[in-house]
Amino acid sequence: MQRRWRRAGRVSAARRSTMAQFLFEADLHGLLKLDAPIPNAPPARWQRKAKENGALGPNPAAVSPMKPANRSYSSKTPSQTPGKSGSKIQSTPTRAGGDRYIPNRSTMQMEVANFLLTKENDPAEESPTKKEQQKAWAVNLNGFDVEEAKILRLSGKPQNAPEGYQNNLKVLYSQKLTPGSSRKNGRYIPSMPDRILDAPEIRNDYYLNLIDWSSQNFLAVALDGSVYLWNHTSGEIIQLLQMEHPDDYVSSLSWIKEGNYLAVGTSNAEVQLWDIQQQKRLRNMTSHSSRVGSLSWNSYILSSGARTGHIHHHDVRVADHHVATLAGHTQEVCGLKWSLDGRYLASGGNDNLVNIWPCTQGDSGDFAPIHTFTQHQGAVKAVAWCPWQSNVLATGGGTSDRYIRIWNVCSGACLNAVDAHSQVCSILWSTNYKEFISGHGFAQNQLVIWKYPTMAKVTELRGHTARVLNLTMSPDGATVASAAADETLRLWRCFEMDPVKKKKERANSVKSSIMYQGIR
């Protein structure tokens, strides 16, 4: 009997073990199916939030997390990071429904979509009347035209962003111009001079021409009775000459094209020729009876303008240097410039006239101006030829005129005129840009850069405290030197060429030199 009880006990224990294993497998299978709630498990996050907001009611298990109905969220979701204060609140834009988009299929016109997808690709041709009739039926039955309907469309209108909200991606992907990209495509022009040099005892006389820059990079300056040379490359200063008589002074300067000879006009009616290599005077030419205020070279011909209104041509190669006299002004000639091609000579005088002279004599054997411009109402000292249009001349009038005028010397027409609002003392054309610069007197004493041919003002360069007397340009065309009555010379890097453009021009010059060598 005792052995039988033991056997029965072992069978009962085996049955209990088998039943426990079966129940474990059943529970595990139920957990994997997720059909029923997990007993004794903590509620889900969405259930806790709904319970806190009072939206679940007495039976929270009756609400499914996949159904958006009967759910509402607060516009502010508290977020707390361990170790940080819980007072920080993160704002979430308010919207109806859950955090997933569940389309409302009741407004998606599934029957119409099915019809549009399954209808024939090549419908039979129908008369306009029949098409209009079908359109009217569709509008009456569906409330819209089937042909214009979309197969799928979103239900409802998109929500508007809160007031003051700005999308951060707009900065990256916006098509609008940023302040950096909306700037004008203009070059940088320094507003301050690159260098300032002292010019003591420079004569404050509007009718004189006291500075000039050579092709060998020497800047010549006349300071009363002396002439100084400043080497722009090395910075060396050389005193070239000193007038013998203390009452005499230098009234004009002009370099020959090659840059090795300097012509000097004086107050005692002399025209001197100096060799800068030897630093000695080569010759002294006397033909005028009054001071020589303007000089200009055309190859070996040196033209000089005097206070008497006469212009003399000097052939510096021969002993009898005075070869021609031009009489077209009644007062002092203060502006004189040969064109780059050597065909015309422009002269401006204190009689408010601008004369255009030919390079050769007329049939009568005398020189006569081919054009005389009388539009200026003041003395004309500023005369300058356009470097890329040989027949275009710019002139500027004095205090009683203040106009800059552009002329076509072939037709004699005034192409343009602009009021500079101040005395025009000098004009220079840029060789690097389609622009020119003008120097002015009272009241701003400024330099102005103008765009050609629009005559639009590019910029103004200020710094002189007295009127600008003369302008001259460096051989590379990048720097302009201005001499003023404040006894200073200021160097402005206002026409510096763009490095890319400069590199291209240098490459082109190398190609042309190689071609020239090959032809020779």
Side-chain angles (χ1 to χ4, degrees):
M1 179 65 70
Q2 188 175 4
R3 186 179 300 171
R4 189 178 298 173
W5 279 108
R6 290 177 182 172
R7 186 183 303 151
R10 284 196 295 270
V11 171
S12 176
R15 288 179 178 175
R16 285 196 300 273
S17 175
T18 303
M19 182 61 68
Q21 183 177 359
F22 175 76
L23 292 176
F24 174 74
E25 291 179 355
D27 292 341
L28 182 61
H29 182 68
L31 289 173
L32 294 175
K33 288 180 64 177
L34 298 177
D35 287 339
I38 303 174
N40 300 325
R45 181 173 176 271
W46 65 271
Q47 290 178 334
R48 293 199 307 269
K49 292 186 63 177
K51 185 176 180 180
E52 291 174 1
N53 296 330
L56 292 178
N59 187 13
V63 181
S64 173
M66 296 303 295
K67 293 183 180 180
N70 300 326
R71 292 206 305 170
S72 63
Y73 287 93
S74 173
S75 61
K76 292 185 179 181
T77 303
S79 62
Q80 188 169 359
T81 304
K84 293 186 178 181
S85 174
S87 61
K88 186 178 180 180
I89 302 299
Q90 180 179 358
S91 299
T92 304
T94 305
R95 62 176 181 178
D99 57 349
R100 298 177 181 85
Y101 170 70
I102 305 299
N104 187 358
R105 304 186 186 279
S106 62
T107 61
M108 297 186 71
Q109 302 292 340
M110 301 303 293
E111 295 82 1
V112 176
N114 181 56
F115 167 73
L116 293 175
L117 289 172
T118 57
K119 74 175 185 176
E120 295 180 358
N121 295 329
D122 299 321
E125 296 184 359
E126 299 175 350
S127 62
T129 305
K130 189 173 183 180
K131 288 184 179 180
E132 292 179 359
Q133 188 178 11
Q134 289 179 352
K135 182 178 180 180
W137 289 345
V139 172
N140 291 331
L141 290 175
N142 301 317
F144 57 89
D145 186 6
V146 177
E147 297 293 336
E148 298 178 358
K150 294 181 180 180
I151 297 176
L152 296 175
R153 64 176 180 177
L154 299 176
S155 61
K157 296 181 179 180
Q159 297 180 358
N160 296 326
E163 185 178 357
Y165 173 78
Q166 183 176 2
N167 188 357
N168 294 329
L169 296 179
K170 185 177 181 181
V171 179
L172 295 177
Y173 300 102
S174 175
Q175 295 294 327
K176 294 182 179 180
L177 294 176
T178 60
S181 61
S182 61
R183 292 181 299 180
K184 296 181 179 179
N185 295 325
R187 71 183 191 280
Y188 169 71
I189 302 176
S191 59
M192 301 297 293
D194 181 62
R195 186 172 297 185
I196 301 177
L197 305 176
D198 288 329
E201 298 182 4
I202 192 169
R203 297 187 72 87
N204 183 10
D205 193 329
Y206 174 80
Y207 302 99
L208 306 184
N209 294 272
L210 303 177
I211 61 172
D212 198 20
W213 208 325
S214 76
S215 59
Q216 296 186 8
N217 219 5
F218 279 90
L219 178 61
V221 184
L223 303 179
D224 196 27
S226 305
V227 173
Y228 291 88
L229 304 181
W230 178 66
N231 190 331
H232 181 257
T233 305
S234 63
E236 181 185 7
I237 299 176
I238 303 170
Q239 183 177 2
L240 183 65
L241 67 92
Q242 175 71 43
M243 298 295 293
E244 297 177 358
H245 198 280
D247 293 335
D248 294 336
Y249 57 88
V250 178
S251 53
S252 58
L253 297 172
S254 182
W255 288 98
I256 197 171
K257 183 179 180 181
E258 291 75 15
N260 53 346
Y261 298 123
L262 177 66
V264 179
T266 65
S267 60
N268 59 354
E270 294 180 352
V271 177
Q272 302 178 9
L273 191 61
W274 285 78
D275 184 350
I276 65 164
Q277 298 293 338
Q278 304 295 328
Q279 296 185 21
K280 68 177 184 178
R281 187 174 66 183
L282 298 179
R283 64 184 306 176
N284 188 21
M285 298 175 287
T286 57
S287 60
H288 291 287
S289 58
S290 60
R291 75 174 182 182
V292 181
S294 55
L295 295 168
S296 184
W297 286 89
N298 182 18
S299 186
Y300 52 84
I301 297 296
L302 175 62
S303 301
S304 58
R307 178 176 277 179
T308 58
H310 293 160
I311 300 171
H312 290 180
H313 288 337
H314 307 273
D315 189 340
V316 297
R317 303 171 300 173
V318 298
D320 192 7
H321 56 86
H322 185 199
V323 294
T325 300
L326 312 182
H329 293 278
T330 58
Q331 296 187 42
E332 184 169 11
V333 179
C334 48
L336 197 64
K337 191 70 67 175
W338 278 98
S339 61
L340 298 180
D341 57 6
R343 296 175 57 194
Y344 303 107
L345 174 66
S347 63
N350 194 32
D351 53 3
N352 309 341
L353 297 181
V354 176
N355 287 323
I356 307 299
W357 307 87
C359 62
T360 58
Q361 297 176 348
D363 298 335
S364 60
D366 295 331
F367 285 92
I370 59 174
H371 293 294
T372 299
F373 304 134
T374 60
Q375 284 84 340
H376 283 292
Q377 303 300 315
V380 182
K381 177 188 178 183
V383 290
W385 292 92
C386 179
W388 61 88
Q389 286 182 298
S390 59
N391 62 331
V392 173
L393 175 71
T395 59
T399 306
S400 56
D401 180 69
R402 301 174 298 182
Y403 265 83
I404 297 175
R405 298 182 184 273
I406 309 297
W407 309 91
N408 185 331
V409 297
C410 292
S411 62
C414 181
L415 303 178
N416 211 331
V418 60
D419 188 357
H421 301 289
S422 62
Q423 181 187 50
V424 184
C425 304
S426 186
I427 293 176
L428 291 177
W429 289 88
S430 171
T431 56
N432 297 335
Y433 300 93
K434 294 294 191 296
E435 299 171 351
F436 65 88
I437 187 170
S438 57
H440 299 273
F442 183 80
Q444 301 296 331
N445 309 313
Q446 80 278 29
L447 282 72
V448 181
I449 299 178
W450 306 85
K451 202 76 176 176
Y452 180 82
T454 61
M455 303 298 287
K457 186 181 293 186
V458 178
T459 188
E460 292 187 0
L461 305 176
R462 303 176 186 271
H464 284 294
T465 57
R467 68 176 177 179
V468 178
L469 299 173
N470 293 105
L471 298 178
T472 186
M473 186 174 291
S474 62
D476 61 357
T479 305
V480 171
S482 59
D486 58 4
E487 297 188 342
T488 63
L489 268 70
R490 297 174 188 257
L491 275 61
W492 313 83
R493 297 189 65 85
C494 53
F495 292 126
E496 193 166 13
M497 190 182 297
D498 181 60
V500 177
K501 185 178 178 182
K502 189 174 183 180
K503 187 176 180 181
K504 289 181 180 179
E505 289 199 356
R506 187 176 300 172
N508 294 335
S509 64
V510 170
K511 290 180 181 179
S512 62
S513 63
I514 293 174
M515 184 179 297
Y516 177 72
Q517 292 174 4
I519 292 173
R520 293 184 63 186

